[in-house]
Amino acid sequence: DALAIAGVPEATVARLFDATLRANLPGMAARIDAFLFFTRDPEWLAMRRHFAEFLELPEVQSLDAADAAALRGYGGVVSLPAINHLSPQTARAFESFGTDDWGAAVELPGVVELEPEAASALARCKALLVLPHLERLSAESARQLARHEGIGIVIGGLDRLPADVAAALAEAKSIQGLLLPDLVVLESQPLARRLARQDHAFLPAITMLDPAVAEALRGNEGGELALPGIEMLSPDVARHLVGAGYYWLTFGCAATLTAETAEILARHNGQLTFTGPAVFSAAAAAALANHKGTLILAHVGELPADVPQALSPHAGALVLGGVTRLTPEAARALSTHAGRLVLPAVESLDAPVAAALAEHA
């Protein structure tokens, strides 16, 4: 409604919703506000101006306590793209921001390096701290940031962390912990243990895990471990992650999933989600058919007939989030699924498809 009122073309709104549905987000929730928070696409970033949850101040290069006091009651994301060098004085101005609202965040997209004194001052802010484009982070600045006792910290731009920086961040005191959206390599076991204590251990850029780090990621009680960028999941890594206490497990390695690893994943008591357009093989599907929980293929647009046939004994719900249309053959294959079928994106059903799906008990 906000976009329609703002005069955004319907086609643009449709593409925004499509981009949201295809995105990998914490909790795997396809929410516009979460998508706009994480996106780096300039077109979608421009859409923020139409939503009350985002306040961009493109001309502000510094703030004092009086300036920040005017923002104190705001419960959304305050973005300050013109601040390239964060002075301790400006960082200190945000000390009271976020004390009145859980949803408040300070975003500093222009900051590429954070000096220790500024990090120390920023850590006193209770809001979510968002540094999406860091190019460098010293161990001392990381230690100062780790003292933050507010909502949480988002550190983007860094694809790997030196051991001393990772160790410092492992001591983070933030309530919701850390989000590291650009981290490609996770080598620190202490940092992995810190992430495992969070509601969402969301690591979208990680491409592979060492078994020792996977073991350190154990221990969450009921939250989510999301690795939508992981390219391959070995049996040894899967053994550590299954039964670790997570309810949701999310992976992006359907195309390379072996039957052996799928058999291990099938022992998971909670929800299993696979992201991306690729689907696992029929052999992996047959192994996953023993899984008793919900199985989600979030973005797969079309299933080869042998995959739903192999999955047919699966007693849990099967959610096909990317399927927009079905052939009668695919519908007949899906109708044999033992558990509940969820097809949220199907746009229409012709008579033969409807008749085939009606066979599903």
Side-chain angles (χ1 to χ4, degrees), residues 1-8 13:
D1 289 346
L3 295 175
I5 292 170
V8 178
V13 175

Side-chain angles (χ1 to χ4, degrees), residues 166-181:
L169 292 176
E171 301 299 320
K173 295 179 174 60
S174 302
I175 297 168
Q176 294 285 4
L178 301 163
L179 274 175
L180 303 165

Side-chain angles (χ1 to χ4, degrees), residues 31 45 57 65 70 87 107 119 133 138 152-153 159 197 208 216 222 225 230 235 238 241 243 246 283 291 299 309 312:
R31 303 189 315 272
L45 286 172
L57 302 174
S87 69
E107 182 183 66
H133 300 300
S138 69
I153 308 172
D159 59 5
R197 288 166 28 211
M208 62 179 56
L225 174 64
I230 202 160
L241 301 181
Y246 296 103
H291 179 239
H299 307 126
Q309 288 167 358
S312 60

Side-chain angles (χ1 to χ4, degrees), residues 25-328:
L25 302 168
M28 298 314 300
R31 303 189 315 272
I32 292 270
D33 56 347
F35 174 74
L36 292 177
F37 180 82
F38 281 101
T39 187
R40 306 287 178 79
D41 189 315
E43 180 182 15
W44 304 136
L45 286 172
M47 293 291 147
R48 288 181 172 191
R49 68 173 67 101
H50 302 304
F51 294 86
E53 293 88 348
F54 298 95
L55 175 63
E56 184 172 312
L57 302 174
E59 306 299 326
V60 175
Q61 297 182 357
S62 64
L63 290 99
D64 58 25
D67 297 325
L71 299 169
R72 178 166 176 167
Y74 179 64
V77 180
V78 176
S79 186
L80 300 154
I83 295 179
N84 298 316
H85 174 263
L86 183 66
S87 69
Q89 292 77 17
T90 295
R92 201 173 294 121
F94 279 103
E95 187 168 349
S96 64
F97 182 66
T99 56
D100 297 337
D101 198 297
W102 177 259
V106 177
E107 182 183 66
L108 298 161
V111 173
V112 298
E113 186 169 12
L114 194 62
E115 295 172 358
E117 191 178 352
S120 176
L122 192 61
R124 297 173 201 158
C125 176
K126 298 300 182 185
L128 179 68
L129 306 178
V130 186
L131 299 157
H133 300 300
L134 282 184
E135 295 176 3
R136 295 170 294 280
L137 183 64
S138 69
E140 182 56 29
S141 291
R143 274 189 286 273
Q144 297 301 328
L145 270 182
R147 297 179 180 180
H148 180 247
E149 296 182 352
I151 298 173
I153 308 172
V154 180
I155 298 176
L158 301 176
D159 59 5
R160 62 193 310 146
L161 299 171
D164 56 349
V165 173
L169 292 176
E171 301 299 320
K173 295 179 174 60
S174 302
I175 297 168
Q176 294 285 4
L178 301 163
L179 274 175
L180 303 165
D182 296 315
L183 192 68
V184 174
V185 179
L186 177 60
E187 299 170 309
S188 169
Q189 294 178 45
L191 181 56
R193 282 190 287 271
R194 175 63 183 91
L195 295 171
R197 288 166 28 211
Q198 302 177 182
D199 288 342
H200 298 289
F202 177 60
L203 295 160
I206 293 290
T207 55
M208 62 179 56
L209 272 186
D210 178 89
V213 173
E215 184 176 13
L217 275 171
R218 294 180 64 86
N220 190 299
E221 293 299 328
E224 173 199 30
L225 174 64
L227 299 164
I230 202 160
E231 296 172 351
M232 184 171 292
L233 199 66
S234 72
D236 288 341
V237 168
R239 286 188 190 96
H240 286 304
L241 301 181
V242 168
Y246 296 103
Y247 179 71
W248 295 282
L249 286 177
T250 298
F251 303 112
C253 55
T256 61
L257 189 68
T258 66
E260 181 183 4
T261 299
E263 183 180 356
I264 296 165
L265 293 180
R267 301 170 198 161
H268 177 57
N269 290 325
Q271 178 177 293
L272 280 175
T273 298
F274 292 90
T275 63
V279 68
F280 34 70
S281 67
L288 285 172
N290 294 315
H291 179 239
K292 294 179 171 57
T294 297
L295 181 61
I296 299 177
L297 294 171
H299 307 126
V300 173
E302 188 173 345
L303 285 178
D306 59 348
V307 170
Q309 288 167 358
L311 277 175
S312 60
H314 177 233
L318 175 62
V319 182
L320 302 175
V323 173
T324 57
R325 61 179 298 276
L326 288 169
T327 64

